[in-house]
Each structure stands twice: as structure tokens, then as C-alpha cells.
Amino acid sequence: MKKLFFLIALIISISHLKAQDTLNYELVDAFRIDKKFSSEILNYLIKKGELTKSEVDERMLNIFQSVYVIDIFNPNNLNQNGIYRFGRITSHGDIYLLIKSENKIEIINDFSHEAIQKKVGNFLQQESNEFDGHTIKNYQEALNNWFVNRSY
């Protein structure tokens, strides 16, 4: 009887572990934009000193576990038009911004504060048929938070 209880407890803990692994996988698999843009993003991170070329070359199969690209206000978005934050998954890495529209991306955080606001404003205006007023407001608030602490 003790063996049966032990076996049931073991099965429950294993099923809990699998559920936890699934959650961790979702957190690690945070490259939420089409990987065809990965070269541009990885080259930018190399240029910024966040990655080295040898790291990318040596770990090409695992690089997407080291880099994230997530919509700035709705992390559930997957490869949709929007404003994305990206960077290296580290405790103190910088956070960069890009705009994805149609079939292209534009990395925007090297511009001045005013230029970034203008680019985002133009993007949101162009996408006004895709985004409702609530979504536009959320993007603007998320952008303002990013400006305040560059880690949002």
C-alpha cells in the first residue's frame, strides 16, 4: 500500500514538473517575431556588445534561448505588426526597441527621444485600421514607461 501511495505521489510530482517545464519553455521561447528577422536583430546585438559573433556561431541552435523579442505591451502577440522590445536574456541587459510592420522591421532605439516618438506616432497612425484606440493608448503608455527606465 505504501508503494502505491509513493507511486501516486511520484506521478503527481512528475506531472507538476512537466507543467512547470511548459511554463518555463514559454518564458524562454520569447522570440515572438518571425525568425527571418533574426540576422538583423542578432547583428544589432553584436554591434551593441550584447553578443559576440563567436557566441552566435557556436550556439546557433540555442541562440533563441538567449535572445528575446516580445511585443512591448502584449507579450502574447506572435509576429504581428507592433512595437517590440528585444535584448539578451540576462539580469542587467539593455532593452532595445523595434517596429514591425508588414514584412519588415526597423530598430528604432538609436534615434533621439523625439525621433522615436515621431516614428512610433507615424507607425500607430499608419496602423490605425489594425489597432483600436485602446491598443494605441497601451502602446503609447508602454513606450513612455520604456523612456522612463529603459527596462520596461
Side-chain angles (χ1 to χ4, degrees):
M1 188 66 135
K2 284 183 180 181
K3 287 183 182 180
L4 180 60
F5 285 122
F6 176 75
L7 184 58
I8 291 171
L10 183 62
I11 290 170
I12 291 171
S13 68
I14 289 172
S15 65
H16 174 68
L17 183 61
K18 286 183 181 180
Q20 188 176 13
D21 287 345
T22 302
L23 291 174
N24 288 341
Y25 176 76
E26 286 178 10
L27 293 173
V28 171
D29 184 32
F31 206 85
R32 309 294 292 167
I33 196 167
D34 194 323
K35 287 183 173 68
K36 71 181 173 186
F37 301 117
S38 64
S39 294
E40 189 173 347
I41 292 167
L42 294 175
N43 284 330
Y44 185 83
L45 291 173
I46 290 169
K47 178 180 134 187
K48 290 296 189 177
E50 298 283 341
L51 292 171
T52 64
K53 185 174 180 338
S54 62
E55 283 179 304
V56 173
D57 291 343
E58 291 169 12
R59 300 184 320 171
M60 197 54 179
L61 294 176
N62 297 324
I63 200 65
F64 299 110
Q65 294 179 355
S66 300
V67 175
Y68 66 90
V69 183
I70 300 175
D71 188 281
I72 196 169
F73 95 89
N74 185 358
N76 294 324
N77 282 352
L78 178 62
N79 197 37
Q80 297 171 4
N81 291 352
I83 303 166
Y84 288 76
R85 57 191 165 108
F86 70 99
R88 180 124 189 223
I89 299 174
T90 61
S91 59
H92 298 293
D94 286 335
I95 295 175
Y96 305 100
L97 291 180
L98 65 83
I99 294 174
K100 181 191 180 296
S101 58
E102 296 308 313
N103 211 11
K104 65 179 182 170
I105 64 169
E106 179 183 9
I107 297 172
I108 62 172
N109 56 278
D110 285 340
F111 296 100
S112 69
H113 182 101
E114 294 78 21
I116 291 172
Q117 284 183 315
K118 185 175 181 176
K119 286 183 174 290
V120 168
N122 290 342
F123 167 73
L124 292 173
Q125 187 175 20
Q126 289 172 352
E127 299 295 324
S128 62
N129 61 342
E130 184 174 336
F131 301 137
D132 61 15
H134 181 70
T135 301
I136 289 172
K137 181 180 178 226
N138 284 336
Y139 271 126
Q140 290 168 335
E141 286 177 9
L143 182 65
N144 289 336
N145 287 335
W146 182 82
F147 280 125
V148 168
N149 59 26
R150 298 281 177 152
S151 64
Y152 185 72

